[in-house]
Amino acid sequence: MQKKVYFCAEFLKQMEKPVVILAIESSCDDTSSAVIVDGILRSNVIASQKVHEEYGGVVPELASRAHQLNILPVVDTALKRARVTKEDISAVAFTRGPGLLGSLLVGTSFAKGLALSLNVPIIDVNHLQGHVLAHFVEDGTGLKHPTFPFLCLLVSGGNSQIILVESKESKDESAPHLPNFKIIGQTIDDAAGEAFDKCAKVLGLPYPGGPWIDKLAKEGDATKYLFAKPNIAGYDYSFSGLKTSFLYTLRDMLKEHGVETIDELAARVPHLREDMCASLQATVVDILMRKLKKAAKDLGVTQVAVAGGVSANSALRQAFIDYGKKYKWDVFIPPFSFTTDNAAMVCQAGYFKYLDKDFCAIDEVPYAKTTI
Ligand code: KG4
């Protein structure tokens, strides 16, 4: 009932003003806020949390506390950089999940409090949809947008999915709307980013290990080690066998050289870490791309995008370019700033939902787990 009253009076009033969406992202260890004005991204501020580095992974309680410290200055900076005031805001979008519950609660509570104080609606955003919709952000750099239908390989620390993104049939094609997301395939165990992070940890590299694998792989021989590749039907992925194969390769080498630690082994085996990283990276990229190629061929889709933290990986980005040329795909690779968690993508999803008048009730709660 409250929602209806809002539509009649406030929404009509808002329609006359520029549409200003303020977004908040706090699903893991990045506090981010962004502003979109009439469809154009005006600011995207990210405060990364360094506090977790010494623990080799994100500590949920520390993440929540850091979000509490960061959120006010981050939102304030996002508004200032966008050259708008809080009174200009048409709606507040926030990441509702999936993510760490404590972290999500900080962003959700802040969004609700701000929206209530300004008497504007709130818009809940699925973080995974946000990653895909990063491809629609108008950031002034001439970012190319996919057309529907397209496939998106969503690869992060928690997900490895092939998603078919389609326009909602009932909607006007010429206007921007939140599309439909259909999972075509997904990992049945670990995510690609998780495999990178866990293997990096075994090699004694800092968290998150993905960027370190990428860096060391540039100096290594990708054909040096052969790791197990999964044999899973359809478009699903599996990375747990690869992880075990990586671990067993190292275990056997430790035994062979009669040493106990990776450092001792690295002193005996030239380019150990570099070659292990290059071989692992090449295997992960091959696994990801083969299934994607199969899905694109079977579904007859030639618009293919990549999203999520692992889309920052240089070998995966190059594979997209190579496959694009070979199979005549139109490929969409996000700028680095949109690969990891950021509020710009949440803002874009929020903007689409605002145009659809798809608002969220004030008593809705965040969720730790959900699908796209
Ligand atoms: O999307 P994201 O920022 O967070 C979520 O999981 O939601 O993704 C983080 C993941 C981590 O596993 C990290 O190691 C991986 O993305 N990652 C990379 C690279 N940069 C980040 N993996 C491989 N190569 C990279 N350059």
PDB file of all heavy atoms in Angstrom, residues 259-289:
ATOM      1  N   VAL A 259      62.754 -32.475   0.139  1.00  0.00           N
ATOM      2  CA  VAL A 259      62.614 -31.227   0.912  1.00  0.00           C
ATOM      3  C   VAL A 259      61.188 -31.126   1.460  1.00  0.00           C
ATOM      4  O   VAL A 259      60.286 -31.846   1.030  1.00  0.00           O
ATOM      5  CB  VAL A 259      62.928 -29.975   0.049  1.00  0.00           C
ATOM      6  CG1 VAL A 259      64.402 -29.917  -0.308  1.00  0.00           C
ATOM      7  CG2 VAL A 259      62.059 -29.944  -1.201  1.00  0.00           C
ATOM      8  N   GLU A 260      61.010 -30.181   2.416  1.00  0.00           N
ATOM      9  CA  GLU A 260      59.699 -30.097   3.078  1.00  0.00           C
ATOM     10  C   GLU A 260      58.893 -28.856   2.734  1.00  0.00           C
ATOM     11  O   GLU A 260      57.673 -28.860   2.853  1.00  0.00           O
ATOM     12  CB  GLU A 260      59.903 -30.170   4.596  1.00  0.00           C
ATOM     13  CG  GLU A 260      60.295 -31.569   5.016  1.00  0.00           C
ATOM     14  CD  GLU A 260      60.330 -31.751   6.513  1.00  0.00           C
ATOM     15  OE1 GLU A 260      60.211 -30.753   7.236  1.00  0.00           O
ATOM     16  OE2 GLU A 260      60.492 -32.912   6.924  1.00  0.00           O
ATOM     17  N   THR A 261      59.579 -27.798   2.343  1.00  0.00           N
ATOM     18  CA  THR A 261      58.827 -26.559   2.084  1.00  0.00           C
ATOM     19  C   THR A 261      58.938 -26.137   0.616  1.00  0.00           C
ATOM     20  O   THR A 261      59.875 -26.525  -0.098  1.00  0.00           O
ATOM     21  CB  THR A 261      59.354 -25.393   2.956  1.00  0.00           C
ATOM     22  OG1 THR A 261      60.676 -25.069   2.502  1.00  0.00           O
ATOM     23  CG2 THR A 261      59.390 -25.760   4.424  1.00  0.00           C
ATOM     24  N   ILE A 262      57.977 -25.296   0.226  1.00  0.00           N
ATOM     25  CA  ILE A 262      57.956 -24.792  -1.156  1.00  0.00           C
ATOM     26  C   ILE A 262      59.186 -23.912  -1.406  1.00  0.00           C
ATOM     27  O   ILE A 262      59.762 -23.942  -2.492  1.00  0.00           O
ATOM     28  CB  ILE A 262      56.655 -23.989  -1.424  1.00  0.00           C
ATOM     29  CG1 ILE A 262      55.421 -24.896  -1.243  1.00  0.00           C
ATOM     30  CG2 ILE A 262      56.642 -23.360  -2.804  1.00  0.00           C
ATOM     31  CD1 ILE A 262      55.343 -26.048  -2.210  1.00  0.00           C
ATOM     32  N   ASP A 263      59.590 -23.149  -0.395  1.00  0.00           N
ATOM     33  CA  ASP A 263      60.774 -22.297  -0.561  1.00  0.00           C
ATOM     34  C   ASP A 263      62.011 -23.141  -0.853  1.00  0.00           C
ATOM     35  O   ASP A 263      62.822 -22.799  -1.718  1.00  0.00           O
ATOM     36  CB  ASP A 263      60.989 -21.441   0.686  1.00  0.00           C
ATOM     37  CG  ASP A 263      60.026 -20.264   0.728  1.00  0.00           C
ATOM     38  OD1 ASP A 263      59.450 -19.947  -0.341  1.00  0.00           O
ATOM     39  OD2 ASP A 263      59.820 -19.675   1.796  1.00  0.00           O
ATOM     40  N   GLU A 264      62.145 -24.258  -0.135  1.00  0.00           N
ATOM     41  CA  GLU A 264      63.299 -25.148  -0.359  1.00  0.00           C
ATOM     42  C   GLU A 264      63.232 -25.732  -1.779  1.00  0.00           C
ATOM     43  O   GLU A 264      64.234 -25.828  -2.482  1.00  0.00           O
ATOM     44  CB  GLU A 264      63.289 -26.306   0.650  1.00  0.00           C
ATOM     45  CG  GLU A 264      63.703 -25.888   2.051  1.00  0.00           C
ATOM     46  CD  GLU A 264      63.481 -27.010   3.060  1.00  0.00           C
ATOM     47  OE1 GLU A 264      62.361 -27.557   3.101  1.00  0.00           O
ATOM     48  OE2 GLU A 264      64.426 -27.344   3.775  1.00  0.00           O
ATOM     49  N   LEU A 265      62.005 -26.093  -2.170  1.00  0.00           N
ATOM     50  CA  LEU A 265      61.820 -26.670  -3.509  1.00  0.00           C
ATOM     51  C   LEU A 265      62.140 -25.635  -4.588  1.00  0.00           C
ATOM     52  O   LEU A 265      62.818 -25.934  -5.584  1.00  0.00           O
ATOM     53  CB  LEU A 265      60.374 -27.173  -3.656  1.00  0.00           C
ATOM     54  CG  LEU A 265      60.057 -27.958  -4.923  1.00  0.00           C
ATOM     55  CD1 LEU A 265      60.872 -29.248  -4.990  1.00  0.00           C
ATOM     56  CD2 LEU A 265      58.567 -28.283  -5.006  1.00  0.00           C
ATOM     57  N   ALA A 266      61.657 -24.401  -4.354  1.00  0.00           N
ATOM     58  CA  ALA A 266      61.883 -23.323  -5.330  1.00  0.00           C
ATOM     59  C   ALA A 266      63.384 -23.028  -5.476  1.00  0.00           C
ATOM     60  O   ALA A 266      63.832 -22.607  -6.551  1.00  0.00           O
ATOM     61  CB  ALA A 266      61.128 -22.071  -4.903  1.00  0.00           C
ATOM     62  N   ALA A 267      64.148 -23.253  -4.410  1.00  0.00           N
ATOM     63  CA  ALA A 267      65.600 -23.029  -4.478  1.00  0.00           C
ATOM     64  C   ALA A 267      66.268 -24.092  -5.352  1.00  0.00           C
ATOM     65  O   ALA A 267      67.338 -23.865  -5.904  1.00  0.00           O
ATOM     66  CB  ALA A 267      66.194 -23.040  -3.080  1.00  0.00           C
ATOM     67  N   ARG A 268      65.620 -25.247  -5.478  1.00  0.00           N
ATOM     68  CA  ARG A 268      66.207 -26.351  -6.274  1.00  0.00           C
ATOM     69  C   ARG A 268      65.665 -26.418  -7.702  1.00  0.00           C
ATOM     70  O   ARG A 268      66.347 -26.881  -8.610  1.00  0.00           O
ATOM     71  CB  ARG A 268      65.931 -27.692  -5.593  1.00  0.00           C
ATOM     72  CG  ARG A 268      66.817 -27.945  -4.397  1.00  0.00           C
ATOM     73  CD  ARG A 268      66.347 -29.195  -3.680  1.00  0.00           C
ATOM     74  NE  ARG A 268      67.265 -29.633  -2.652  1.00  0.00           N
ATOM     75  CZ  ARG A 268      67.421 -29.042  -1.476  1.00  0.00           C
ATOM     76  NH1 ARG A 268      66.720 -27.968  -1.193  1.00  0.00           N
ATOM     77  NH2 ARG A 268      68.287 -29.504  -0.584  1.00  0.00           N
ATOM     78  N   VAL A 269      64.402 -26.021  -7.858  1.00  0.00           N
ATOM     79  CA  VAL A 269      63.766 -26.118  -9.189  1.00  0.00           C
ATOM     80  C   VAL A 269      63.654 -24.713  -9.796  1.00  0.00           C
ATOM     81  O   VAL A 269      62.857 -23.897  -9.324  1.00  0.00           O
ATOM     82  CB  VAL A 269      62.359 -26.764  -9.090  1.00  0.00           C
ATOM     83  CG1 VAL A 269      61.697 -26.880 -10.455  1.00  0.00           C
ATOM     84  CG2 VAL A 269      62.434 -28.112  -8.399  1.00  0.00           C
ATOM     85  N   PRO A 270      64.440 -24.430 -10.830  1.00  0.00           N
ATOM     86  CA  PRO A 270      64.370 -23.084 -11.420  1.00  0.00           C
ATOM     87  C   PRO A 270      62.955 -22.764 -11.936  1.00  0.00           C
ATOM     88  O   PRO A 270      62.298 -23.646 -12.500  1.00  0.00           O
ATOM     89  CB  PRO A 270      65.371 -23.137 -12.584  1.00  0.00           C
ATOM     90  CG  PRO A 270      66.150 -24.395 -12.410  1.00  0.00           C
ATOM     91  CD  PRO A 270      65.373 -25.310 -11.538  1.00  0.00           C
ATOM     92  N   HIS A 271      62.531 -21.552 -11.718  1.00  0.00           N
ATOM     93  CA  HIS A 271      61.226 -21.035 -12.192  1.00  0.00           C
ATOM     94  C   HIS A 271      60.043 -21.878 -11.705  1.00  0.00           C
ATOM     95  O   HIS A 271      59.027 -21.969 -12.396  1.00  0.00           O
ATOM     96  CB  HIS A 271      61.173 -20.968 -13.729  1.00  0.00           C
ATOM     97  CG  HIS A 271      62.356 -20.327 -14.339  1.00  0.00           C
ATOM     98  ND1 HIS A 271      62.688 -19.021 -14.098  1.00  0.00           N
ATOM     99  CD2 HIS A 271      63.319 -20.818 -15.150  1.00  0.00           C
ATOM    100  CE1 HIS A 271      63.804 -18.716 -14.756  1.00  0.00           C
ATOM    101  NE2 HIS A 271      64.215 -19.791 -15.390  1.00  0.00           N
ATOM    102  N   LEU A 272      60.179 -22.509 -10.548  1.00  0.00           N
ATOM    103  CA  LEU A 272      59.097 -23.372 -10.059  1.00  0.00           C
ATOM    104  C   LEU A 272      57.755 -22.631 -10.008  1.00  0.00           C
ATOM    105  O   LEU A 272      56.767 -23.048 -10.624  1.00  0.00           O
ATOM    106  CB  LEU A 272      59.438 -23.920  -8.657  1.00  0.00           C
ATOM    107  CG  LEU A 272      58.271 -24.661  -7.995  1.00  0.00           C
ATOM    108  CD1 LEU A 272      58.128 -26.062  -8.555  1.00  0.00           C
ATOM    109  CD2 LEU A 272      58.430 -24.714  -6.478  1.00  0.00           C
ATOM    110  N   ARG A 273      57.742 -21.515  -9.254  1.00  0.00           N
ATOM    111  CA  ARG A 273      56.467 -20.803  -9.075  1.00  0.00           C
ATOM    112  C   ARG A 273      55.951 -20.257 -10.408  1.00  0.00           C
ATOM    113  O   ARG A 273      54.758 -20.351 -10.715  1.00  0.00           O
ATOM    114  CB  ARG A 273      56.629 -19.670  -8.061  1.00  0.00           C
ATOM    115  CG  ARG A 273      56.762 -20.171  -6.624  1.00  0.00           C
ATOM    116  CD  ARG A 273      56.612 -19.027  -5.628  1.00  0.00           C
ATOM    117  NE  ARG A 273      56.561 -19.500  -4.258  1.00  0.00           N
ATOM    118  CZ  ARG A 273      57.624 -19.637  -3.458  1.00  0.00           C
ATOM    119  NH1 ARG A 273      58.817 -19.331  -3.902  1.00  0.00           N
ATOM    120  NH2 ARG A 273      57.485 -20.066  -2.226  1.00  0.00           N
ATOM    121  N   GLU A 274      56.851 -19.705 -11.209  1.00  0.00           N
ATOM    122  CA  GLU A 274      56.438 -19.109 -12.493  1.00  0.00           C
ATOM    123  C   GLU A 274      55.823 -20.171 -13.410  1.00  0.00           C
ATOM    124  O   GLU A 274      54.754 -19.964 -14.000  1.00  0.00           O
ATOM    125  CB  GLU A 274      57.640 -18.459 -13.205  1.00  0.00           C
ATOM    126  CG  GLU A 274      58.176 -17.204 -12.540  1.00  0.00           C
ATOM    127  CD  GLU A 274      59.130 -17.497 -11.388  1.00  0.00           C
ATOM    128  OE1 GLU A 274      59.268 -18.681 -11.006  1.00  0.00           O
ATOM    129  OE2 GLU A 274      59.712 -16.537 -10.852  1.00  0.00           O
ATOM    130  N   ASP A 275      56.496 -21.321 -13.504  1.00  0.00           N
ATOM    131  CA  ASP A 275      55.994 -22.382 -14.400  1.00  0.00           C
ATOM    132  C   ASP A 275      54.700 -23.006 -13.873  1.00  0.00           C
ATOM    133  O   ASP A 275      53.795 -23.322 -14.657  1.00  0.00           O
ATOM    134  CB  ASP A 275      57.062 -23.478 -14.577  1.00  0.00           C
ATOM    135  CG  ASP A 275      58.272 -22.980 -15.363  1.00  0.00           C
ATOM    136  OD1 ASP A 275      58.143 -21.929 -16.031  1.00  0.00           O
ATOM    137  OD2 ASP A 275      59.332 -23.631 -15.313  1.00  0.00           O
ATOM    138  N   MET A 276      54.613 -23.170 -12.549  1.00  0.00           N
ATOM    139  CA  MET A 276      53.385 -23.724 -11.970  1.00  0.00           C
ATOM    140  C   MET A 276      52.213 -22.759 -12.231  1.00  0.00           C
ATOM    141  O   MET A 276      51.110 -23.177 -12.581  1.00  0.00           O
ATOM    142  CB  MET A 276      53.533 -23.936 -10.456  1.00  0.00           C
ATOM    143  CG  MET A 276      54.399 -25.099 -10.042  1.00  0.00           C
ATOM    144  SD  MET A 276      53.679 -26.722 -10.381  1.00  0.00           S
ATOM    145  CE  MET A 276      52.553 -26.953  -9.021  1.00  0.00           C
ATOM    146  N   CYS A 277      52.478 -21.460 -12.039  1.00  0.00           N
ATOM    147  CA  CYS A 277      51.418 -20.453 -12.255  1.00  0.00           C
ATOM    148  C   CYS A 277      50.992 -20.414 -13.721  1.00  0.00           C
ATOM    149  O   CYS A 277      49.793 -20.382 -14.033  1.00  0.00           O
ATOM    150  CB  CYS A 277      51.911 -19.059 -11.833  1.00  0.00           C
ATOM    151  SG  CYS A 277      52.045 -18.872 -10.058  1.00  0.00           S
ATOM    152  N   ALA A 278      51.975 -20.424 -14.623  1.00  0.00           N
ATOM    153  CA  ALA A 278      51.653 -20.349 -16.056  1.00  0.00           C
ATOM    154  C   ALA A 278      50.867 -21.588 -16.484  1.00  0.00           C
ATOM    155  O   ALA A 278      49.882 -21.478 -17.244  1.00  0.00           O
ATOM    156  CB  ALA A 278      52.941 -20.228 -16.868  1.00  0.00           C
ATOM    157  N   SER A 279      51.263 -22.767 -15.989  1.00  0.00           N
ATOM    158  CA  SER A 279      50.569 -23.995 -16.383  1.00  0.00           C
ATOM    159  C   SER A 279      49.159 -24.037 -15.801  1.00  0.00           C
ATOM    160  O   SER A 279      48.203 -24.447 -16.477  1.00  0.00           O
ATOM    161  CB  SER A 279      51.354 -25.225 -15.897  1.00  0.00           C
ATOM    162  OG  SER A 279      52.672 -25.182 -16.406  1.00  0.00           O
ATOM    163  N   LEU A 280      49.023 -23.597 -14.555  1.00  0.00           N
ATOM    164  CA  LEU A 280      47.693 -23.565 -13.917  1.00  0.00           C
ATOM    165  C   LEU A 280      46.768 -22.606 -14.666  1.00  0.00           C
ATOM    166  O   LEU A 280      45.628 -22.941 -15.018  1.00  0.00           O
ATOM    167  CB  LEU A 280      47.829 -23.128 -12.453  1.00  0.00           C
ATOM    168  CG  LEU A 280      46.505 -22.898 -11.732  1.00  0.00           C
ATOM    169  CD1 LEU A 280      45.814 -24.212 -11.408  1.00  0.00           C
ATOM    170  CD2 LEU A 280      46.704 -22.094 -10.442  1.00  0.00           C
ATOM    171  N   GLN A 281      47.287 -21.408 -14.918  1.00  0.00           N
ATOM    172  CA  GLN A 281      46.484 -20.376 -15.595  1.00  0.00           C
ATOM    173  C   GLN A 281      46.017 -20.856 -16.973  1.00  0.00           C
ATOM    174  O   GLN A 281      44.839 -20.705 -17.325  1.00  0.00           O
ATOM    175  CB  GLN A 281      47.319 -19.112 -15.718  1.00  0.00           C
ATOM    176  CG  GLN A 281      46.603 -17.957 -16.375  1.00  0.00           C
ATOM    177  CD  GLN A 281      47.449 -16.704 -16.346  1.00  0.00           C
ATOM    178  OE1 GLN A 281      47.403 -15.931 -15.403  1.00  0.00           O
ATOM    179  NE2 GLN A 281      48.219 -16.488 -17.384  1.00  0.00           N
ATOM    180  N   ALA A 282      46.938 -21.461 -17.715  1.00  0.00           N
ATOM    181  CA  ALA A 282      46.578 -21.944 -19.057  1.00  0.00           C
ATOM    182  C   ALA A 282      45.498 -23.023 -18.959  1.00  0.00           C
ATOM    183  O   ALA A 282      44.569 -23.059 -19.782  1.00  0.00           O
ATOM    184  CB  ALA A 282      47.823 -22.511 -19.751  1.00  0.00           C
ATOM    185  N   THR A 283      45.583 -23.872 -17.932  1.00  0.00           N
ATOM    186  CA  THR A 283      44.583 -24.934 -17.779  1.00  0.00           C
ATOM    187  C   THR A 283      43.214 -24.347 -17.429  1.00  0.00           C
ATOM    188  O   THR A 283      42.195 -24.726 -18.019  1.00  0.00           O
ATOM    189  CB  THR A 283      45.032 -25.925 -16.666  1.00  0.00           C
ATOM    190  OG1 THR A 283      46.393 -26.282 -16.888  1.00  0.00           O
ATOM    191  CG2 THR A 283      44.182 -27.175 -16.657  1.00  0.00           C
ATOM    192  N   VAL A 284      43.197 -23.402 -16.481  1.00  0.00           N
ATOM    193  CA  VAL A 284      41.918 -22.790 -16.073  1.00  0.00           C
ATOM    194  C   VAL A 284      41.265 -22.093 -17.276  1.00  0.00           C
ATOM    195  O   VAL A 284      40.073 -22.261 -17.546  1.00  0.00           O
ATOM    196  CB  VAL A 284      42.124 -21.789 -14.904  1.00  0.00           C
ATOM    197  CG1 VAL A 284      40.857 -20.985 -14.648  1.00  0.00           C
ATOM    198  CG2 VAL A 284      42.558 -22.517 -13.640  1.00  0.00           C
ATOM    199  N   VAL A 285      42.078 -21.327 -18.004  1.00  0.00           N
ATOM    200  CA  VAL A 285      41.534 -20.581 -19.155  1.00  0.00           C
ATOM    201  C   VAL A 285      40.994 -21.551 -20.208  1.00  0.00           C
ATOM    202  O   VAL A 285      39.905 -21.349 -20.755  1.00  0.00           O
ATOM    203  CB  VAL A 285      42.614 -19.634 -19.745  1.00  0.00           C
ATOM    204  CG1 VAL A 285      42.159 -19.042 -21.079  1.00  0.00           C
ATOM    205  CG2 VAL A 285      42.939 -18.525 -18.752  1.00  0.00           C
ATOM    206  N   ASP A 286      41.724 -22.630 -20.445  1.00  0.00           N
ATOM    207  CA  ASP A 286      41.279 -23.612 -21.434  1.00  0.00           C
ATOM    208  C   ASP A 286      39.946 -24.248 -21.016  1.00  0.00           C
ATOM    209  O   ASP A 286      39.035 -24.380 -21.833  1.00  0.00           O
ATOM    210  CB  ASP A 286      42.364 -24.692 -21.604  1.00  0.00           C
ATOM    211  CG  ASP A 286      42.041 -25.626 -22.744  1.00  0.00           C
ATOM    212  OD1 ASP A 286      41.828 -25.119 -23.868  1.00  0.00           O
ATOM    213  OD2 ASP A 286      41.949 -26.852 -22.513  1.00  0.00           O
ATOM    214  N   ILE A 287      39.850 -24.605 -19.738  1.00  0.00           N
ATOM    215  CA  ILE A 287      38.598 -25.212 -19.231  1.00  0.00           C
ATOM    216  C   ILE A 287      37.437 -24.227 -19.429  1.00  0.00           C
ATOM    217  O   ILE A 287      36.369 -24.587 -19.938  1.00  0.00           O
ATOM    218  CB  ILE A 287      38.747 -25.585 -17.728  1.00  0.00           C
ATOM    219  CG1 ILE A 287      39.775 -26.699 -17.538  1.00  0.00           C
ATOM    220  CG2 ILE A 287      37.405 -25.972 -17.132  1.00  0.00           C
ATOM    221  CD1 ILE A 287      40.157 -26.975 -16.084  1.00  0.00           C
ATOM    222  N   LEU A 288      37.665 -22.979 -19.027  1.00  0.00           N
ATOM    223  CA  LEU A 288      36.594 -21.969 -19.122  1.00  0.00           C
ATOM    224  C   LEU A 288      36.156 -21.746 -20.561  1.00  0.00           C
ATOM    225  O   LEU A 288      34.963 -21.720 -20.880  1.00  0.00           O
ATOM    226  CB  LEU A 288      37.071 -20.635 -18.518  1.00  0.00           C
ATOM    227  CG  LEU A 288      37.256 -20.585 -16.997  1.00  0.00           C
ATOM    228  CD1 LEU A 288      37.919 -19.283 -16.569  1.00  0.00           C
ATOM    229  CD2 LEU A 288      35.909 -20.746 -16.278  1.00  0.00           C
ATOM    230  N   MET A 289      37.139 -21.605 -21.461  1.00  0.00           N
ATOM    231  CA  MET A 289      36.821 -21.223 -22.839  1.00  0.00           C
ATOM    232  C   MET A 289      36.178 -22.359 -23.641  1.00  0.00           C
ATOM    233  O   MET A 289      35.326 -22.116 -24.486  1.00  0.00           O
ATOM    234  CB  MET A 289      38.072 -20.710 -23.561  1.00  0.00           C
ATOM    235  CG  MET A 289      38.648 -19.432 -22.997  1.00  0.00           C
ATOM    236  SD  MET A 289      37.486 -18.061 -22.795  1.00  0.00           S
ATOM    237  CE  MET A 289      37.108 -17.607 -24.471  1.00  0.00           C
TER     238      MET A 289
END
